[in-house]
Amino acid sequence: MPGKADWLAYGLPVETESGELRLVVNFLQRKIPYCRLTETVGEALERVPKPGPVFCPVLNNEEIVLGVLTDEAKKTEPARPVEEVMELGPTTIRPSADVEETLQYFSRNNKERVLVTSSDGKFLGLFARDEKVTRPHG
């Protein structure tokens, strides 16, 4: 249901029968670097934290996810446009996704992170496997 998903996307409170919600929105990393199609790879890589893997969502002017810049970007000429190097069609999930189901997806697909978007494709943040997320709850 788009209304509920949008409500959750913006971190607004919801009531549940069981009490604690284990939804992706509750563990969302919202302040991560992103890049634009018009930037060069060198410009984009300057904002990516080092050391660590490159994972930089590529957004249009409406904040819609178009692709993602990955470690492959390190192997290319810094002057190349991001548009030529990005991976198209990255996997995304909604903020209302269940944390445990998403962690199972990570295990099955050898993933550590996934982009989170609203129902209309707008970038909301990143959900990544870390101690806070994988810690047992209850």
Side-chain angles (χ1 to χ4, degrees), residues 71-100:
D71 277 336
E72 291 298 311
K74 292 180 187 177
K75 302 175 188 173
T76 191
E77 189 65 34
R80 282 187 72 187
V82 164
E83 184 175 20
E84 294 179 5
V85 181
M86 71 179 187
E87 289 182 12
L88 297 172
T91 299
T92 63
I93 61 171
R94 299 291 177 262
S96 58
D98 179 76
V99 167
E100 279 68 29

Side-chain angles (χ1 to χ4, degrees), residues 33-52:
Y34 61 87
C35 50
R36 304 287 184 184
L37 289 175
T38 56
E39 290 183 288
T40 66
V41 169
E43 291 169 334
L45 291 180
E46 286 178 13
R47 287 192 304 281
V48 175
K50 294 159 190 70

Side-chain angles (χ1 to χ4, degrees), residues 3-136:
K4 181 177 179 181
D6 290 338
W7 184 268
L8 291 168
Y10 294 100
L12 298 171
V14 295
E15 291 183 24
T16 65
E17 292 178 21
S18 64
E20 181 184 355
L21 277 180
R22 294 273 295 169
L23 301 178
V24 165
V25 70
N26 297 326
F27 299 93
L28 197 56
Q29 298 172 26
R30 293 185 187 265
K31 294 184 180 186
I32 68 164
Y34 61 87
C35 50
R36 304 287 184 184
L37 289 175
T38 56
E39 290 183 288
T40 66
V41 169
E43 291 169 334
L45 291 180
E46 286 178 13
R47 287 192 304 281
V48 175
K50 294 159 190 70
V54 174
F55 194 82
C56 190
V58 181
L59 311 179
N60 68 12
N61 290 336
E62 288 78 38
E63 309 299 312
I64 304 294
V65 174
L66 303 174
V68 66
L69 210 56
T70 65
D71 277 336
E72 291 298 311
K74 292 180 187 177
K75 302 175 188 173
T76 191
E77 189 65 34
R80 282 187 72 187
V82 164
E83 184 175 20
E84 294 179 5
V85 181
M86 71 179 187
E87 289 182 12
L88 297 172
T91 299
T92 63
I93 61 171
R94 299 291 177 262
S96 58
D98 179 76
V99 167
E100 279 68 29
E101 289 176 12
T102 304
L103 292 173
Q104 289 172 12
Y105 164 81
F106 284 173
S107 295
R108 288 190 310 270
N109 295 284
N110 198 27
K111 302 273 185 193
E112 293 294 318
R113 66 190 67 80
V114 65
L115 299 174
V116 181
T117 60
S118 66
S119 57
D120 57 358
K122 287 191 178 190
F123 178 65
L124 298 173
L126 181 75
F127 177 76
R129 181 192 315 261
D130 66 18
E131 181 183 316
K132 176 177 63 173
V133 171
T134 56
R135 182 176 44 224

